[in-house]
Amino acid sequence: MRLGIDFGTTRTLVALVDRGNYPVVTFADHDGDPSDHFPSVVALRDGDLVYGFEALDAGAAGAPMVRSFKRALAAPDVTLTSPVAVGERAVPISDLLTGYLVALRAALAESSSLHSYGELDGETPIEVVIAVPAHAHGAQRFITLEAFRRAGFTVLGMMNEPSAAGFEFTHRQGRAVTSKRTRVLVYDLGGGTFDASLVRADGTDHEVLNSVGINRLGGDDFDASLAGTALSVAGTRPDELDPTAYAVLLDECRDAKERLSPQTKRIVVDVADRAVTVPVAAFESDATPLVEQTIEAMAPLVGVLDETGGDELADIAGIYLVGGASGLPLVPRVLRSKFGRRVFRSPYPAASTAIGLAIAADPVAGYSLTDRLSRGFGVYREASEGTALQFDEVFTRDDVLAGSGDEVAVVATRRYRAVHNLGWFRFVEYAALDDAGQPKGDLVPFAEVLFPFDAALEGVSEGLQDVEVSRLGHGPLVEERYAIDRHGIVEVTITNLDTGHTRRFALDRSGEGPTAG
């Protein structure tokens, strides 16, 4: 059985590969009614962690509950052991994700529409293609991949979310892509993240030209905006609500937001047990800056794109709105006012990515993808006898990811004669470079590595950080090898070619981030 699984910030959606069709899998909710998603929620009930609909029931009964735990993955210093607080318990993020995905697998087998396609049991292999935000850094990708594997899924591939939605667009609206209009701009506003990708489509062959994103902007922020508007209308300060009361208000705002239609004029929510009527116009005024942030973020993809503008618009087949938060009427309205009639909203905005992932999992569909890195990778290294740092770019955001299975997608190798006794490497992932070639904006540390160039230091296992950097002159021949797999996960190997001393640094299962091997 092959599935596309879109693990989302607020909900997880699954689509099935079924003889050229890609139906969305439904799950039985609290009342036994079908739901098109499995909630991304965890709760602590009687000392045990429970997930999904069971967690919602536990939370309604007063158990500590955490929504949107996926957002913890976006932290720049996240590792497998980074704690997430569920009530009074600190749970390692990898254990929480694995537990959630084990619960998802059980729900697929026991309480989903997959029953009509044949009974699932613990022995049935489930092959999946999964997704991550396009702007996800290496640790975020690795932890997600590892959790699916630990939960017993066979992972066929990992895609960037808007890239998967691009598959769904051309599958559903192939006629929009013509010989003159070959590009699709996928606008993906989910529960916790925003991503956009510019995709060139030629039939079933897709090439991602560029991607941008904001790791912490999504439906949760619109919930908070509506809560803020409601508090303002009620004349209540946020600090007048205790955390439990504010969480209840956020839940009400989430439900009210998801019921909005273009015709809705008023929203009624309870603020501290008092019904408050919020004009939709007031909420939209407060929330519009959030939409404008997404437009600003995707500006590099479209330049001066507008409804009448020339070359940038000429080969755009459409701006395709996907992701659950794009269902808010405000979002397409603001985008259409900016970009005109070529803004299309997916008929299944929340499920578009899952459907695209299922298409990718279907060998008969014949879809192919050439993707690119959404982040650059580089290194700060010692210069001028340790008195200065210089930055070297290793991989650019234009580097193409290819390969299959666990093949290496991109390799960069550098050889040089070392001039110092010690190399102090500070590896980083970054969103962009400034005019001087220095990283700017969103910067994520990958690893800090000390490597002895002086053979006399090779036996030093601790204390290298206390060694004074000095100039050797004509030092050993050193090789740096950088490899990225098709999931966008980096491995670094540094070797003294004169002595054979080598160290490898990669994200692994230890939970401590990049480690030496």
Side-chain angles (χ1 to χ4, degrees):
M1 178 171 286
R2 291 194 168 192
L3 305 172
I5 300 182
D6 178 19
F7 164 47
T9 302
T10 58
R11 54 191 63 182
T12 293
L13 286 98
V14 180
L16 172 70
V17 177
D18 179 30
R19 298 163 295 182
N21 298 306
Y22 310 98
V24 175
V25 175
T26 59
F27 299 86
D29 66 11
H30 342 249
D31 301 317
D33 295 326
S35 172
D36 66 357
H37 68 275
F38 189 71
S40 301
V41 182
V42 59
L44 184 63
R45 184 180 64 189
D46 300 329
D48 295 322
L49 296 175
V50 292
Y51 305 90
F53 293 110
E54 196 174 357
L56 291 178
D57 289 340
M65 184 176 69
V66 177
R67 296 181 183 269
S68 304
F69 53 82
K70 180 184 174 183
R71 276 194 157 186
L73 288 171
D77 57 350
V78 68
T79 70
L80 288 167
T81 57
S82 295
V84 175
V86 184
E88 297 181 352
R89 181 185 295 184
V91 184
I93 183 66
S94 61
D95 291 351
L96 195 157
L97 259 62
T98 300
Y100 173 77
L101 294 171
V102 167
L104 172 66
R105 183 183 171 109
L108 287 168
E110 299 166 6
S111 57
S112 80
S113 57
L114 292 182
H115 278 295
S116 61
Y117 296 89
E119 193 78 15
L120 279 174
D121 56 38
E123 302 301 319
T124 302
I126 303 180
E127 299 177 313
V128 300
V129 176
I130 62 176
V132 289
H135 212 52
H137 53 74
Q140 187 173 357
R141 293 171 184 273
F142 176 81
I143 295 170
T144 302
L145 182 65
E146 182 68 8
F148 271 92
R149 287 172 170 169
R150 287 183 180 183
F153 292 98
T154 300
V155 181
L156 300 175
M158 174 187 283
M159 295 179 67
N160 292 334
E161 290 164 359
S163 300
F167 279 14
E168 190 264 342
F169 176 83
T170 54
H171 174 74
R172 190 181 303 280
Q173 304 205 38
R175 293 182 179 179
V177 179
T178 67
S179 59
K180 294 183 178 180
R181 293 178 179 171
T182 59
R183 297 189 301 168
V184 179
L185 198 160
V186 180
Y187 174 103
D188 184 0
L189 185 61
T193 60
F194 168 72
D195 286 304
S197 289
L198 188 62
V199 181
R200 179 186 292 124
D202 181 7
T204 57
D205 297 328
H206 287 211
E207 179 185 6
V208 176
L209 303 177
N210 199 356
S211 294
V212 296
I214 305 174
N215 249 351
R216 295 190 65 85
L217 175 60
D220 286 354
D221 302 286
F222 287 88
D223 302 338
S225 178
L226 178 53
T229 308
L231 288 167
S232 177
V233 171
T236 303
R237 297 193 313 272
D239 59 9
E240 293 181 56
L241 296 184
D242 60 41
T244 299
Y246 183 70
V248 170
L249 175 60
L250 278 180
D251 284 345
E252 283 208 27
C253 289
R254 181 180 297 109
D255 292 341
K257 178 201 70 180
E258 292 177 355
R259 292 194 301 268
L260 283 177
S261 72
Q263 292 74 39
T264 306
K265 302 298 182 186
R266 291 175 293 278
I267 306 168
V268 179
V269 295
D270 287 341
V271 177
D273 296 324
R274 179 163 62 94
V276 174
T277 300
V278 178
V280 169
F283 162 56
E284 291 186 340
S285 176
D286 290 343
T288 294
L290 295 174
V291 185
E292 291 173 342
Q293 284 184 52
T294 68
I295 294 174
E296 292 171 6
M298 70 179 188
L301 304 186
V302 294
V304 293
L305 175 65
D306 59 42
E307 187 173 11
T308 59
D311 291 342
E312 290 295 339
L313 184 63
D315 63 350
I316 292 287
I319 300 176
Y320 196 46
L321 275 55
V322 302
S326 72
L328 186 67
L330 171 68
V331 174
R333 187 165 68 249
V334 171
L335 287 165
R336 288 189 178 113
S337 70
K338 171 75 175 174
F339 300 122
R341 291 171 295 176
R342 288 191 195 159
V343 175
F344 303 99
R345 181 167 165 256
S346 170
Y348 305 103
S352 178
T353 295
I355 294 170
L357 294 170
I359 294 170
D362 184 3
V364 177
Y367 276 68
S368 67
L369 176 69
T370 300
D371 213 336
R372 281 176 165 77
L373 293 175
S374 58
R375 290 174 177 267
F377 183 87
V379 57
Y380 290 96
R381 63 175 85 240
E382 297 297 300
S384 304
E385 299 185 34
T387 62
L389 289 176
Q390 68 179 44
F391 179 78
D392 290 335
E393 186 177 33
V394 178
F395 295 118
T396 74
R397 298 176 71 250
D398 293 327
D399 282 320
V400 172
L401 291 176
S404 60
D406 291 325
E407 294 175 12
V408 171
V410 189
V411 175
T413 303
R414 298 181 177 187
R415 289 187 177 186
Y416 54 88
R417 286 284 174 185
V419 297
H420 295 105
N421 63 332
L422 182 68
W424 200 318
F425 302 86
R426 299 165 178 87
F427 297 105
V428 295
E429 298 177 69
Y430 53 88
L433 295 176
D434 62 20
D435 293 339
Q438 300 297 307
K440 67 176 183 178
D442 188 10
L443 190 71
V444 178
F446 174 80
E448 186 170 314
V449 174
L450 291 169
F451 186 87
F453 296 140
D454 186 346
L457 297 174
E458 289 180 359
V460 179
S461 58
E462 296 182 4
L464 280 176
Q465 67 273 13
D466 298 323
V467 174
E468 183 177 351
V469 177
S470 61
R471 181 174 289 274
L472 287 176
H474 191 70
L477 183 63
V478 174
E479 179 183 89
E480 299 172 13
R481 182 182 187 274
Y482 301 90
I484 299 183
D485 69 14
R486 66 191 178 104
H487 306 303
I489 300 171
V490 181
E491 174 182 297
V492 179
T493 305
I494 306 174
T495 304
N496 182 329
L497 294 176
D498 289 356
T499 68
H501 182 68
T502 187
R503 298 190 74 188
R504 169 183 165 273
F505 302 87
L507 292 163
D508 66 13
R509 292 164 175 77
S510 70
E512 298 303 322
T515 58

